[in-house]
Amino acid sequence: MFFEGSEKKVEVVVCESTPSLRSLGQDYWSNLVAHANAEILSTVSNDKCDAYLLSESSLFVWDHHFVMLTCGTTTLVNAVLHFLESFEKEQVLSLIFQRKNEYLSHLQKSSFNEDINKLEKELTGKAYQLGNLDTHHNYVYHLDKPYTATPDDYTYELLMYHIHGNAAQYLRSEHQSADKIRELLELDQLLPGFEINDFVFEPFGYSMNAIKDQLYATIHITPQEESSYVSFETNMDLSAVNSNILERLTTILQPNSFDIISFNGIPNINPPSHTLMNHVSEPLSCGYMMRFYEYMRGEPKMGRGVSIL
Amino acid sequence: MFFEGSEKKVEVVVCESTPSLRSLGQDYWSNLVAHANAEILSTVSNDKCDAYLLSESSLFVWDHHFVMLTCGTTTLVNAVLHFLESFEKEQVLSLIFQRKNEYLSHLQKSSFNEDINKLEKELTGKAYQLGNLDTHHNYVYHLDKPYTATPDDYTYELLMYHIHGNAAQYLRSEHQSADKIRELLELDQLLPGFEINDFVFEPFGYSMNAIKDQLYATIHITPQEESSYVSFETNMDLSAVNSNILERLTTILQPNSFDIISFNGIPNINPPSHTLMNHVSEPLSCGYMMRFYEYMRGEPKMGRGVSIL
């Protein structure tokens, strides 16, 4: 029952003089998503953004930028290469490609190094590993080109590993409902005014896209015991003192360990149950300050082995 | 400059009625080692044991059992299968195969699951994962056959990741000497009366075998920054209150994190600088109590990313 919930992610910004990316239409994006071995399940839109829920994670498209996350053994890099075929190099202002900490990286179709070797045939970039190889780490590749982010351009990623407690138990149970999951995750309170589009997978697994004007939030849940993973990502400003989303989600889902990655924002979190193990800051030459925080449960775990034969 | 220091390991016991394994001769063992893609560099012997220093780690052969460790991208499982060709199944009393926590498992020639699928064609075993997938863990496969270990049958493995400090700095420097490394590691005091056979690799890297009667100890050092690894393993009784080997080595080498694995012994360690993150106990049906301890540095690390392009 192993499934790699951990995502690959790409964020691309094109210049204002290109036609709106939204005007490329759903067929274009369906085809792009297919290059990663995923497919579009459903869509919600508002004035600013089209949010696609995928068979493996999510795609958000605005007029001049898009964000795509894919999990499992998808080949996101191939979708990126496909996108680059449609545009001149000068039209691409920013491109950031990430791979999150994977449970079983040897099961992936390619390594991060193989991915960036492909990207380097089309682009000139830089790449970093944030966090140590023997524990949580995040890989990032970005176009090596000066870019000035707008003051409200934040990204926060919360990656939770080995969830526990009541919510985790429900997420592993049979016959779940989207309503109950929304309630457990307190989405009404945490994402007020957002339009939500979600999907409950069989036998379990949950994906959610939420949009409000130009803002997005997305949650993906792989609840399987021994390799559970939940990701939350948003472009909301979570450094604001009154934002407690990260703390609520880590309290509800009780992960053994979690990572926070931010671009241009300092997350507002001080979890009593977890200890900061590692904090990496890397100013990227593409204009973002990237931060990586690794937290682990403060109390030592005690237990038995996991039988695998 | 990446090198996977983390080892695969096998320990096999055959019945007393078989001819001594030592009498198979060096040609037999050279050939067996070649099946793992390693070679014998040098040998020391005493009345009880032949200790082979390998191009990738070590082999110890007693009359009726042997221990072999190989690192890098060696294929230890193939050496085990080769050994099994020479013996009847009934002659094998115990077989334990392990894979330590790897930095970059996707670079290995096979996964643990692939290894145990090969072994299961010849044997009937059980397999466990001790420790979580997102952080340190140890895989073990063992023959599912009752076996009664002698009261003095202990094994301790100390696996250190990301070493720091003066000793680490020397181990990364040019023109090292074995004498200086022995002195830094305090081997005279920690292994009194042992015959030592060691080797300094170019440009760096160190391997050491030590024997004294039926006792052995072995150290392997991969000092490379960003993926440094040092392993120590012995069949001495380190649960004894007067044994401070584990504490000395972790103090000298200042790893970010380390694991201790024991078979039938409780390690004597209480490091002030590190926090116990996980403790797994698994009674194996082959008669050993296996314990896994994961320690991490208490203070959070703070730093920059690692440039990889």
Side-chain angles (χ1 to χ4, degrees):
Chain A
M1 278 301 286
F2 177 76
F3 183 83
E4 188 72 70
S6 163
E7 292 102 351
K8 301 142 198 93
K9 177 191 167 189
V10 69
E11 177 147 12
V12 177
V13 182
V14 296
C15 59
E16 297 277 336
S17 62
T18 63
S20 167
L21 295 178
R22 302 176 72 188
S23 70
L24 294 168
Q26 182 161 337
D27 281 357
Y28 176 85
W29 294 106
S30 281
N31 183 33
L32 181 128
V33 162
H35 278 78
N37 277 323
E39 55 180 312
I40 294 174
L41 298 179
S42 62
T43 314
V44 285
S45 289
N46 65 19
D47 281 356
K48 300 283 173 53
C49 179
D50 298 323
Y52 297 94
L53 208 61
L54 307 183
S55 53
E56 275 96 356
S57 307
S58 292
L59 167 67
F60 297 89
V61 185
W62 295 262
D63 282 334
H64 294 98
H65 82 279
F66 77 92
V67 170
M68 182 171 166
L69 297 92
T70 65
C71 61
T73 56
T74 49
T75 53
L76 180 60
V77 70
N78 294 342
V80 179
L81 293 169
H82 176 73
F83 179 83
L84 292 173
E85 284 171 14
S86 326
F87 290 83
E88 300 298 321
K89 269 179 204 164
E90 305 74 53
Q91 296 179 298
V92 178
L93 301 184
S94 174
L95 185 149
I96 300 178
F97 176 82
Q98 282 172 272
R99 280 178 70 156
K100 314 292 169 71
N101 195 68
E102 289 155 0
Y103 278 116
L104 294 178
S105 61
H106 66 273
L107 298 181
Q108 290 294 309
K109 295 215 165 62
S110 64
S111 67
F112 179 72
N113 274 317
E114 288 163 349
D115 287 354
I116 66 175
N117 287 341
K118 282 186 181 180
L119 293 170
E120 277 289 289
K121 287 187 181 147
E122 305 300 325
L123 305 168
T124 302
K126 289 189 173 179
Y128 296 90
Q129 167 202 318
L130 281 72
N132 285 335
L133 283 180
D134 67 316
T135 175
H136 291 206
H137 53 277
N138 199 277
Y139 288 116
V140 64
Y141 169 89
H142 65 85
L143 189 61
D144 184 19
K145 190 169 174 176
Y147 174 74
T148 306
T150 56
D152 63 344
D153 180 352
Y154 300 105
T155 306
Y156 289 95
E157 304 166 359
L158 168 64
L159 319 173
M160 292 170 275
Y161 296 81
H162 299 297
I163 58 172
H164 294 275
N166 288 343
Q169 232 170 340
Y170 180 76
L171 291 164
R172 290 184 188 117
S173 67
E174 290 180 358
H175 313 303
Q176 299 164 38
S177 77
D179 280 350
K180 178 72 179 167
I181 296 175
R182 289 186 194 194
E183 187 192 317
L184 282 168
L185 299 179
E186 304 176 3
L187 296 190
D188 281 354
Q189 297 96 289
L190 298 180
L191 301 171
F194 276 74
E195 180 174 8
I196 289 179
N197 178 29
D198 53 6
F199 192 87
V200 181
F201 293 85
E202 281 291 337
F204 36 62
Y206 175 78
S207 282
M208 185 228 58
N209 283 345
I211 52 174
K212 178 185 180 183
D213 299 327
Q214 83 292 356
L215 297 175
Y216 77 99
T218 185
I219 291 177
H220 297 283
I221 299 178
T222 301
Q224 279 89 323
E225 199 107 40
E226 306 309 336
S227 56
S228 62
Y229 174 83
V230 178
S231 69
F232 167 76
E233 167 162 339
T234 189
N235 60 351
M236 294 164 75
D237 178 7
L238 301 190
S239 49
V241 175
N242 61 359
S243 168
N244 65 345
I245 294 188
L246 302 175
E247 209 147 293
R248 280 310 301 152
L249 288 175
T250 54
T251 302
I252 294 165
L253 291 163
Q254 301 177 36
N256 266 352
S257 55
F258 63 87
D259 302 335
I260 297 172
I261 292 134
S262 70
F263 292 87
N264 283 1
I266 296 177
N268 173 37
I269 187 163
N270 188 14
S273 50
H274 289 75
T275 306
L276 178 65
M277 303 302 290
N278 199 0
H279 174 192
V280 181
S281 305
E282 188 61 42
L284 306 181
S285 70
C286 62
Y288 290 95
M289 173 59 91
M290 181 174 178
R291 293 181 173 89
F292 171 88
Y293 303 81
E294 177 190 7
Y295 285 89
M296 292 212 172
R297 189 136 74 172
E299 290 293 295
K301 297 183 287 287
M302 310 284 251
R304 289 283 301 270
V306 178
S307 173
I308 51 179
L309 182 73
Chain B
M1 279 301 286
F2 178 77
F3 184 83
E4 187 71 71
S6 163
E7 291 101 353
K8 302 142 197 92
K9 178 191 166 189
V10 69
E11 178 148 12
V12 177
V13 182
V14 295
C15 59
E16 297 277 336
S17 61
T18 63
S20 166
L21 295 178
R22 302 176 72 189
S23 70
L24 294 169
Q26 182 162 336
D27 282 357
Y28 175 86
W29 293 106
S30 280
N31 183 33
L32 180 127
V33 163
H35 278 78
N37 277 323
E39 55 179 312
I40 293 173
L41 298 179
S42 62
T43 316
V44 285
S45 289
N46 66 17
D47 282 358
K48 299 281 172 51
C49 179
D50 298 323
Y52 298 94
L53 208 61
L54 307 183
S55 53
E56 274 96 356
S57 306
S58 294
L59 166 67
F60 296 90
V61 184
W62 295 262
D63 283 334
H64 294 99
H65 83 278
F66 76 92
V67 170
M68 183 170 165
L69 297 93
T70 66
C71 62
T73 56
T74 49
T75 52
L76 180 60
V77 69
N78 294 344
V80 178
L81 293 170
H82 177 72
F83 180 84
L84 292 173
E85 285 172 13
S86 325
F87 291 83
E88 301 296 323
K89 270 179 206 167
E90 304 75 53
Q91 296 179 298
V92 178
L93 301 184
S94 173
L95 185 148
I96 301 178
F97 177 82
Q98 283 172 272
R99 280 178 71 157
K100 314 293 168 73
N101 195 67
E102 290 154 1
Y103 278 115
L104 295 178
S105 60
H106 65 274
L107 298 181
Q108 290 294 309
K109 295 215 165 61
S110 64
S111 67
F112 179 72
N113 275 318
E114 288 163 349
D115 287 353
I116 66 176
N117 287 342
K118 283 187 181 180
L119 292 170
E120 277 289 289
K121 287 187 181 147
E122 305 299 326
L123 306 168
T124 302
K126 290 190 173 179
Y128 296 91
Q129 167 202 317
L130 283 73
N132 284 336
L133 281 181
D134 68 315
T135 176
H136 290 207
H137 53 277
N138 198 277
Y139 289 116
V140 63
Y141 169 90
H142 66 85
L143 189 61
D144 186 18
K145 191 169 172 175
Y147 174 74
T148 306
T150 56
D152 62 345
D153 180 353
Y154 300 105
T155 304
Y156 290 94
E157 304 166 359
L158 169 64
L159 318 174
M160 292 170 275
Y161 296 81
H162 299 298
I163 58 171
H164 294 276
N166 288 342
Q169 232 170 339
Y170 180 77
L171 291 164
R172 288 182 189 120
S173 67
E174 290 182 357
H175 313 303
Q176 298 164 38
S177 76
D179 281 350
K180 179 71 180 167
I181 296 175
R182 289 186 194 193
E183 187 192 316
L184 282 169
L185 299 179
E186 304 177 3
L187 296 190
D188 281 355
Q189 298 94 290
L190 298 181
L191 301 171
F194 275 75
E195 181 173 9
I196 289 179
N197 177 29
D198 54 6
F199 191 87
V200 182
F201 292 86
E202 281 291 338
F204 37 62
Y206 175 78
S207 282
M208 186 228 58
N209 283 345
I211 51 174
K212 179 186 180 183
D213 300 327
Q214 83 292 356
L215 297 175
Y216 78 98
T218 186
I219 291 177
H220 297 282
I221 300 179
T222 301
Q224 278 89 320
E225 199 107 40
E226 306 310 336
S227 57
S228 63
Y229 174 83
V230 178
S231 69
F232 167 75
E233 168 162 339
T234 188
N235 60 351
M236 294 165 74
D237 178 7
L238 300 190
S239 51
V241 175
N242 60 359
S243 168
N244 65 345
I245 294 186
L246 301 175
E247 209 147 292
R248 280 310 301 153
L249 288 176
T250 54
T251 302
I252 294 165
L253 291 163
Q254 299 177 37
N256 265 352
S257 55
F258 63 88
D259 302 335
I260 298 173
I261 292 134
S262 70
F263 292 87
N264 282 2
I266 296 177
N268 173 38
I269 188 164
N270 189 14
S273 50
H274 289 74
T275 306
L276 179 64
M277 303 300 292
N278 198 0
H279 174 192
V280 181
S281 305
E282 188 61 42
L284 306 182
S285 69
C286 61
Y288 290 94
M289 173 58 91
M290 181 174 178
R291 293 181 173 89
F292 171 88
Y293 303 81
E294 178 190 6
Y295 285 89
M296 292 212 172
R297 190 137 73 173
E299 291 292 296
K301 297 184 286 289
M302 309 285 251
R304 289 283 299 272
V306 178
S307 172
I308 50 179
L309 180 73

